[in-house]
Amino acid sequence: MSVSVIVTEQLTHRYGVRTGIERLDLQVAEGSLFGFLGPNGAGKTTTIRVLLGFLRPNGGRASLFGRDCWRAGARIRQDVGYLPGDLRLYPSATGRELVRIFGLVRHRDLAAPGRDLADRFALDMSVPVRKMSRGMRQKLGLILAMAHEPRLLVLDEPTASLDPLMQDELIQYLRGNAAQGHTIFFSSHTLSEVERLCDRVAIVREGRLVANEPLESLRARARRRFTIRWTSEQVSRDVVPPGFLRLDERREHTWHGSLKGEVPELVRWAATQPIEDLAIGHPDLESLFREYYTREASVT
């Protein structure tokens, strides 16, 4: 049986009259690549701060590695690597100096793993932070979070400011970590970040959990986009869309919309129609996630 590294039960935190998170139930299994998705202000950062013992919950409970996040926060953080979304570093320090400082805090010599990660992410560790670009600072933040090989890695918008090649390198590294039993908790408001890496996704909106399921389950429910180009504009106007198609736009010779049924059903119907071209896209997770963001919050 898989062990749950993160467990929250009815977790609640309020800022005065404003709710940060409300009755949040989560379980994150060891070795998983877990996406925590939601728009800005949804409660993602509040959840992370409670999990790391920086904020005390007003209700419910949260535990990491079977320990209470508030009472055992200092012990828990020894096994956690964290990249905040608002990363701030000493401007006069070099990357090499910061790795040494972090090693002193963690009572470990991180020089060698820091160098290895710097080589992997192509970062010059002799440059002071104030002279680094945003992408360089993001790489340094990742190195500081990962150098001690934590059991749990908590990443808040980790690919921000990274170029596509570095994003690919990071994803490859994280997948290798998870394969070795490390757990990745990946917070983002961007679907594409989460979709490329994670095997399970929780969606939070206005502090409440609205979905928590495998990414493949979400893909199975997501509709595919289609484009049909007809042989003439007259045909495009005259044809009545079948019930398994949702037509979003009808422009001259072309239809754009989403498929409510199955692909074979569309293909069979299309074979009987005066169609010049048909394109069927991948499951449209973006539209599905927008529905979660905009509809009334309800736990799935």
Side-chain angles (χ1 to χ4, degrees):
M1 292 180 64
S2 60
V3 176
S4 292
V5 171
I6 298 175
V7 177
T8 74
E9 295 177 354
Q10 298 292 290
L11 187 64
T12 299
H13 182 82
R14 299 187 182 92
Y15 302 94
V17 297
R18 184 172 67 85
T19 297
I21 48 175
E22 184 76 22
R23 297 195 297 274
L24 193 71
D25 291 330
L26 280 180
Q27 288 194 25
V28 179
E30 185 175 29
S32 64
L33 294 157
F34 192 95
F36 195 49
L37 192 63
N40 291 330
K44 303 187 303 296
T45 299
T46 298
T47 303
I48 289 172
R49 289 174 176 167
V50 172
L51 291 176
L52 296 178
F54 299 152
L55 291 176
R56 188 172 188 171
N58 299 116
R61 74 179 191 94
S63 66
L64 296 186
F65 317 118
R67 292 184 168 94
D68 182 86
C69 292
W70 179 253
R71 290 195 293 268
R75 173 63 186 87
I76 285 169
R77 288 191 290 272
Q78 294 177 24
D79 294 321
V80 177
Y82 174 43
L83 176 71
D86 56 345
L87 177 65
R88 299 180 186 183
L89 300 167
Y90 297 113
S92 61
T94 66
R96 193 175 296 115
E97 289 167 343
L98 286 172
V99 168
R100 183 181 61 82
I101 292 169
F102 272 55
L104 292 173
V105 171
R106 295 192 177 278
H107 307 290
R108 292 180 56 181
D109 184 0
L110 300 180
R115 281 194 302 271
D116 291 343
L117 286 168
D119 290 343
R120 181 161 189 163
F121 293 107
L123 180 65
D124 184 348
M125 298 290 277
S126 66
V127 177
V129 169
R130 68 173 177 272
K131 294 185 178 181
M132 289 184 176
S133 66
R134 290 181 61 187
M136 292 173 70
R137 291 196 298 271
Q138 190 75 353
K139 291 179 188 179
L140 179 54
L142 286 163
I143 291 168
L144 296 173
M146 300 185 301
H148 64 295
E149 299 182 343
R151 291 175 60 191
L152 170 64
L153 189 56
V154 179
L155 303 175
D156 195 353
E157 311 285 351
T159 65
S161 306
L162 296 182
D163 64 53
L165 289 177
M166 285 299 106
Q167 291 180 23
D168 291 344
E169 191 65 42
L170 174 62
I171 287 172
Q172 183 180 352
Y173 177 86
L174 295 177
R175 285 179 178 153
N177 253 240
Q180 295 172 18
H182 299 265
T183 305
I184 315 298
F185 188 82
F186 192 107
S187 175
S188 179
H189 70 274
T190 306
L191 170 62
S192 57
E193 271 196 319
V194 170
E195 188 179 3
R196 290 179 65 193
L197 176 71
C198 298
D199 47 36
R200 189 175 185 90
V201 176
I203 306 172
V204 64
R205 175 181 180 267
E206 296 180 353
R208 293 177 179 270
L209 198 68
V210 296
N212 184 359
E213 56 189 292
L215 189 62
E216 285 306 313
S217 297
L218 291 171
R219 284 199 179 102
R221 292 212 311 278
R223 294 177 179 176
R224 292 177 181 267
R225 303 292 300 173
F226 72 84
T227 299
I228 295 175
R229 182 173 176 81
W230 297 92
T231 53
S232 72
E233 188 173 345
Q234 183 65 45
V235 171
S236 174
R237 287 197 300 267
D238 291 345
V239 173
V240 177
F244 53 81
L245 296 183
R246 188 183 75 181
L247 189 59
D248 297 330
E249 182 182 26
R250 190 193 308 238
R251 182 186 299 174
E252 298 177 348
H253 295 69
T254 307
W255 287 6
H256 298 284
S258 59
L259 176 61
K260 294 190 286 185
E262 299 296 327
V263 170
E265 189 175 20
L266 170 57
V267 172
R268 285 193 297 270
W269 173 80
T272 67
Q273 303 297 317
I275 289 175
E276 186 177 286
D277 192 24
L278 169 65
I280 305 173
H282 294 292
D284 185 17
L285 279 174
E286 287 283 359
S287 295
L288 180 63
F289 277 69
R290 285 195 198 99
E291 290 179 15
Y292 280 118
Y293 286 177
T294 57
R295 71 189 183 188
E296 290 296 317
S298 60
V299 175
T300 300

